Amino acid sequence: MDTKVADNVFWVGFIDWAVRDFHGYKTSRGSTYNAYLVMDEKTALIDAVKAPYAAPLLEQIQAHVPLEKVDYVVCNHAEPDHSGALPDVMRACPNATLLCNAKCKDALARHYDTRDWKFQVVKDGETLSLGRRTLQFLDTPMVHWPESMVTYLVEDAILFSMDAFGQHYASGFRFDDESDMCEVMQEAKTYYANIVLPYGRPVATALKRLGGLTLKMVAPSHGVIWRSHFDKILAAYQDWMVCKPARKVVIAYCTMWGSTRLMAEAVAEGARTLPVEVKLLNVDVTHDTQIITEVMDCAAFAAGTATLNMGIMPRMAATLTYLRGLKPLGKAGFAFGSYGWAAKGVDEAACFLATMQMAPVCEPLICRYAPDAETLEACRAAGRALAEVAQRA
Ligand code: FEO
């Protein structure tokens, strides 16, 4: 595998082929934790990897330089998928100074015993000479945590962009132009929807800031490096950060004895009377990772649930809790579903949609036990109303 990024700049990360869960996000294609080694008169390691993969990280560094020759370790982000190996790295590299911003120093001290670490706190915009090359540190708060920053290798015009522009995507290739771009863009979209979506404003601020940089390469901390197709991911970020809607309707439902499924199918049938994309997702068999990825760029959304024990179906509550946390913006929607003797489940689903500020296209649709012809016709009409919204997108 070619790990050379540029002259004397190497990828030294870890490919995690087997990981399938990232705090609830289903990583179907695994992931990578990217770390980079910049060798000059001084040597700098840019970021680390998850704790269990410290040994392979150190082995890869040693393939280029003795560990005592590592002068700096840059920590752009304190989340443990990048900082977990730092205790081992700082122990193994006795001459290394850890470079990070003040918030990151505090966060690292709350995760690890950092009392023996040599720190150099860097300020936003500060530069550091490695000899013939210069590192510049730029704060990008909330992309993804408050302490997040990126590091720019000035002379090579390489941006080590941390989580931004990342993908949970295990691959033997290190660059976008070696990879299947459909897979890469799909994983970048899934990553954005499941990790970055609540931070649209900070992303906009960061993009504005980074827009002034000359960029030959953008090297994130997950997935492939953008060397030929950065324009594609940048354009996609411009859409995703504002949840730009496509002509798409998403209907997610959870059924008990099939009544809510019949209603959901009628909603879908109504939506399909107009030329928009319709996604019908049973939450019992569709992972939340996929649901939020579909919802991020839909124009209209409907949530259907049966009532169980005087409340929403637990699986639908979990899905809507996940969606609510990720804050998809600018959707229209409504809730629907069935009940036996207390119509509480749909009320709870409607509350979730209201909390997400989804503009109601109609009142919640409910049916007792099983939908009759009139109810199904109302579902079709509501589905068409969703599609009318989507058609205007
Ligand atoms: Fe890949 Fe926010 O850590």
Side-chain angles (χ1 to χ4, degrees), residues 247-251 271 276-279 298-301 383 386-387 390:
R247 292 182 159 196
K248 180 164 77 168
V249 171
V250 175
I251 302 146
V276 300
E277 185 182 7
V278 177
K279 294 279 170 102
C298 79
F301 175 71
L386 292 178

Side-chain angles (χ1 to χ4, degrees), residues 22-23 33 77-82 143-145 147-148 162-163 168 191 195 221-222:
F22 192 89
H23 52 54
Y33 317 109
H77 179 23
E79 193 165 12
D81 51 329
H82 309 292
V143 187
H144 160 222
W145 277 12
E147 82 295 346
S148 292
M162 190 15 65
D163 280 346
H168 280 316
Y191 183 91
I195 301 277
S221 291
H222 299 289

Side-chain angles (χ1 to χ4, degrees), residues 108-125:
L108 291 173
R110 291 171 190 278
H111 280 86
Y112 314 108
D113 182 354
T114 61
R115 285 173 296 181
D116 291 337
W117 299 8
K118 227 179 329 167
F119 277 97
Q120 185 175 330
V121 170
V122 296
K123 292 205 172 82
D124 183 35

Side-chain angles (χ1 to χ4, degrees), residues 37-85:
L37 196 67
V38 181
M39 296 164 62
D40 204 311
E41 290 164 27
K42 300 281 187 184
T43 294
L45 172 70
I46 314 283
D47 290 310
V49 297
K50 260 188 182 173
Y53 312 121
L57 168 66
L58 292 170
E59 273 170 33
Q60 292 207 77
I61 296 169
Q62 280 179 296
H64 299 286
V65 67
L67 294 176
E68 54 273 20
K69 295 277 187 192
V70 175
D71 300 287
Y72 299 109
V73 175
V74 176
C75 181
N76 282 311
H77 179 23
E79 193 165 12
D81 51 329
H82 309 292
S83 70

Side-chain angles (χ1 to χ4, degrees), residues 51-371:
Y53 312 121
L57 168 66
L58 292 170
E59 273 170 33
Q60 292 207 77
I61 296 169
Q62 280 179 296
H64 299 286
V65 67
L67 294 176
E68 54 273 20
K69 295 277 187 192
V70 175
D71 300 287
Y72 299 109
V73 175
V74 176
C75 181
N76 282 311
H77 179 23
E79 193 165 12
D81 51 329
H82 309 292
S83 70
L86 284 179
D88 287 328
V89 169
M90 295 308 285
R91 231 183 337 264
C93 301
N95 300 313
T97 297
L98 195 139
L99 301 170
C100 65
N101 62 30
K103 281 183 188 164
C104 190
K105 183 181 177 190
D106 177 65
L108 291 173
R110 291 171 190 278
H111 280 86
Y112 314 108
D113 182 354
T114 61
R115 285 173 296 181
D116 291 337
W117 299 8
K118 227 179 329 167
F119 277 97
Q120 185 175 330
V121 170
V122 296
K123 292 205 172 82
D124 183 35
E126 191 173 327
T127 58
L128 177 92
S129 173
L130 298 177
R132 285 161 292 125
R133 288 163 154 158
T134 313
L135 297 178
Q136 184 174 32
F137 310 102
L138 300 164
D139 288 344
T140 52
M142 298 317 298
V143 187
H144 160 222
W145 277 12
E147 82 295 346
S148 292
M149 71 174 192
V150 297
T151 298
Y152 183 53
L153 184 57
V154 177
E155 290 76 9
D156 296 80
I158 299 173
L159 180 69
F160 300 103
S161 65
M162 190 15 65
D163 280 346
F165 311 115
Q167 329 98 50
H168 280 316
Y169 181 55
S171 166
F173 294 127
R174 300 276 55 82
F175 295 98
D176 55 356
D177 50 26
E178 302 171 305
S179 310
D180 178 333
M181 278 303 293
C182 289
E183 284 189 359
V184 172
M185 288 304 294
Q186 181 56 51
E187 292 306 332
K189 181 179 179 183
T190 304
Y191 183 91
Y192 191 100
N194 285 273
I195 301 277
V196 190
L197 186 54
Y199 311 117
R201 275 194 197 155
V203 169
T205 305
L207 291 191
K208 203 167 166 191
R209 190 120 202 256
L210 302 178
L213 301 176
T214 301
L215 296 177
K216 282 192 190 151
M217 258 185 246
V218 174
S221 291
H222 299 289
V224 297
I225 297 166
W226 302 95
R227 156 172 93 175
S228 298
H229 300 295
F230 183 63
D231 57 331
K232 284 193 175 62
I233 188 68
L234 186 60
Y237 264 53
Q238 302 283 0
D239 290 347
W240 298 337
M241 73 186 188
V242 293
C243 266
K244 185 179 176 188
R247 292 182 159 196
K248 180 164 77 168
V249 171
V250 175
I251 302 146
Y253 71 96
C254 191
T255 198
M256 188 189 302
W257 291 108
S259 296
T260 300
R261 176 179 58 78
L262 289 174
M263 295 176 79
E265 288 169 354
V267 173
E269 191 184 329
R272 285 200 305 268
T273 59
L274 292 174
V276 300
E277 185 182 7
V278 177
K279 294 279 170 102
L280 181 60
L281 307 174
N282 180 337
V283 303
D284 281 324
V285 294
T286 312
H287 200 276
D288 291 340
T289 304
Q290 183 187 342
I291 296 172
I292 185 60
T293 306
E294 295 291 355
V295 168
M296 177 172 75
D297 63 354
C298 79
F301 175 71
T305 180
T307 293
L308 178 71
N309 300 328
M310 303 280 284
I312 189 171
M313 292 286 278
R315 190 60 202 78
M316 178 52 87
T319 293
L320 292 177
T321 301
Y322 192 71
L323 296 189
R324 183 180 60 189
L326 289 164
K327 299 185 174 67
L329 301 172
K331 315 299 177 196
F334 73 96
F336 64 94
S338 62
Y339 69 100
W341 49 96
K344 297 294 186 190
V346 177
D347 288 350
E348 287 186 36
C351 281
F352 272 105
L353 302 197
T355 310
M356 287 187 270
Q357 299 178 328
M358 293 197 180
V361 298
C362 63
E363 291 297 311
L365 294 177
I366 54 174
C367 81
R368 189 165 182 209
Y369 289 123

Side-chain angles (χ1 to χ4, degrees), residues 3-66:
T3 58
K4 181 178 169 183
V5 176
D7 284 344
N8 291 315
V9 180
F10 296 93
W11 178 91
V12 290
F14 183 79
I15 305 172
D16 196 346
W17 295 97
V19 66
R20 289 294 179 271
D21 177 75
F22 192 89
H23 52 54
Y25 165 0
K26 185 177 178 186
T27 50
S28 303
R29 289 191 170 103
S31 192
T32 71
Y33 317 109
N34 296 339
Y36 302 94
L37 196 67
V38 181
M39 296 164 62
D40 204 311
E41 290 164 27
K42 300 281 187 184
T43 294
L45 172 70
I46 314 283
D47 290 310
V49 297
K50 260 188 182 173
Y53 312 121
L57 168 66
L58 292 170
E59 273 170 33
Q60 292 207 77
I61 296 169
Q62 280 179 296
H64 299 286
V65 67

